[in-house]
């Protein structure tokens, strides 16, 4: 792949990202409802018509049918397009930011965090089957010499989990209710395993700024925001962590 011309390499990243995004969309729609991600044909969510090959081309199929089912005319959920386009942009950004030897790991981390962010923002759910494997994956990438060294990443995994777990415990004791989800410390541990402990404060700072921006935007739109409203911390941390990886891993 390293010998491909720049334009071909860029196109490859976009197409691969869109394909990955189609799979991520299937996970987002099926997994929370208990359906198999790998078994069963894709169908229209309104009429149940099985989708053919021409309906399964990421992004392009949605554009050609103008976002509607060929049979019943019902609107196709725009989250399909959002997942495909978002994953395609991750592929493009990974290629632009890093050399080929690093690009694949940057893209994988981006797609992984993208899925976790989407699950958390929609369902307030960070499943262990996604957060926990991200920890050894980050340490393995360190072992092969990509990104920060192994030692600060080992410390980051421990410190990431311990810091949020302690905050969650203290909040529960002081307020008598849950303040953080059980998946947040595990995701923070995974982020520490990729970025190293020195970057964890910047992840929290970035997450806080993104969350503040989201609140301001909601207020500008006229939405009521109460002190008891929940913000998906996992989503905010994921959005803050990947740009930091882009800066430190190249």
């Amino acid at each position: 792949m390293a010998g491909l011309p720049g334009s071909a390499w860029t196109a490859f990243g976009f197409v691969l990202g869109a394909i990955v995004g189609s799979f991520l969309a299937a996970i987002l729609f099926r997994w929370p409802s208990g359906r198999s991600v790998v078994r069963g044909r894709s169908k229209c969510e309104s009429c149940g018509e099985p989708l053919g090959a021409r309906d399964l081309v990421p992004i392009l199929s949605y554009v050609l049918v103008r976002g509607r089912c060929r049979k019943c005319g019902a609107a196709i959920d725009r989250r399909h397009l959002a997942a495909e386009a978002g994953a395609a942009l991750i592929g493009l950004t990974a290629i632009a930011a890093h050399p080929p030897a690093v690009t694949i790991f940057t893209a994988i981390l981006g797609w992984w965090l993208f899925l976790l962010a989407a699950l958390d923002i929609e369902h307030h759910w960070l499943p262990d089957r996604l957060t926990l494997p991200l920890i050894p994956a980050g340490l393995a990438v360190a072992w092969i010499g990509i990104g920060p060294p192994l030692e600060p990443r080992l410390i980051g995994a421990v410190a990431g989990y311990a810091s949020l777990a302690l905050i969650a415990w203290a909040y529960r004791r002081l307020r008598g209710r849950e303040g953080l989800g059980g998946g947040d410390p595990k995701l923070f541990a995974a982020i520490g395993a990729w970025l190293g402990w020195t970057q964890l404060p910047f992840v929290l700072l970035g997450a806080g700024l993104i969350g503040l921006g989201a609140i301001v935007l909601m207020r500008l739109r006229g939405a009521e925001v109460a002190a008891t409203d929940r913000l998906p911390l996992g989503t905010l941390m994921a959005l803050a962590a990947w740009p930091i990886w882009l800066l430190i891993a190249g």
Side-chain angles (χ1 to χ4, degrees):
M1 290 296 183
L4 286 175
S7 58
W9 183 234
T10 300
F12 173 78
F14 182 87
V15 172
L16 178 61
I19 293 171
V20 171
S22 182
F23 178 66
L24 297 183
I27 296 176
L28 291 171
F29 277 87
R30 297 184 186 185
W31 198 9
S33 61
R35 293 182 289 161
S36 171
V37 176
V38 296
R39 293 195 299 270
R41 291 184 60 183
S42 297
K43 302 177 181 180
C44 172
E45 293 146 14
S46 297
C47 67
E49 177 73 7
L51 302 182
R54 64 177 179 172
D55 301 311
L56 297 174
V57 181
I59 300 177
L60 183 61
S61 291
Y62 185 96
V63 173
L64 290 178
V65 298
R66 298 181 180 180
R68 295 193 173 274
C69 172
R70 292 181 188 274
K71 182 177 181 180
C72 69
I76 300 171
D77 196 312
R78 292 183 180 180
R79 289 176 294 176
H80 286 285
L81 179 62
E84 293 167 0
L89 289 174
I90 288 172
L92 283 176
T93 304
I95 285 173
H98 293 152
V102 183
T103 290
I104 185 61
F105 299 103
T106 297
I108 289 173
L109 177 61
W111 293 326
W112 209 324
L113 291 174
F114 181 77
L115 176 58
L116 284 164
L119 286 170
D120 197 33
I121 199 170
E122 286 205 7
H123 305 284
H124 291 283
W125 183 40
L126 296 170
D128 288 353
R129 281 184 285 178
L130 287 178
T131 55
L132 295 182
L134 196 55
I135 298 174
L139 299 178
V141 172
W143 184 75
I144 63 177
I146 294 176
L150 180 59
E151 183 178 349
R153 289 161 86 155
L154 283 168
I155 297 172
V158 175
Y161 180 84
S163 58
L164 285 196
L166 179 61
I167 291 172
W169 174 83
Y171 187 93
R172 188 166 53 249
R173 289 294 300 270
L174 292 173
R175 302 295 298 271
R177 58 186 175 89
E178 296 293 336
L180 292 176
D184 292 322
K186 297 169 188 175
L187 176 57
F188 203 35
I191 291 172
W194 280 81
L195 305 184
W197 69 271
T198 59
Q199 302 301 321
L200 293 181
F202 298 107
V203 173
L204 289 181
L205 176 62
L209 292 174
I210 295 170
L212 180 61
I215 292 172
V216 170
L217 184 59
M218 287 188 289
R219 292 295 299 270
L220 290 175
R221 290 181 173 180
E224 294 293 332
V225 181
T228 55
D229 289 344
R230 298 175 61 188
L231 287 177
L233 179 60
T235 299
L236 301 176
M237 292 192 299
L239 292 175
W242 196 61
I244 294 175
W245 170 263
L246 291 175
L247 293 173
I248 68 175

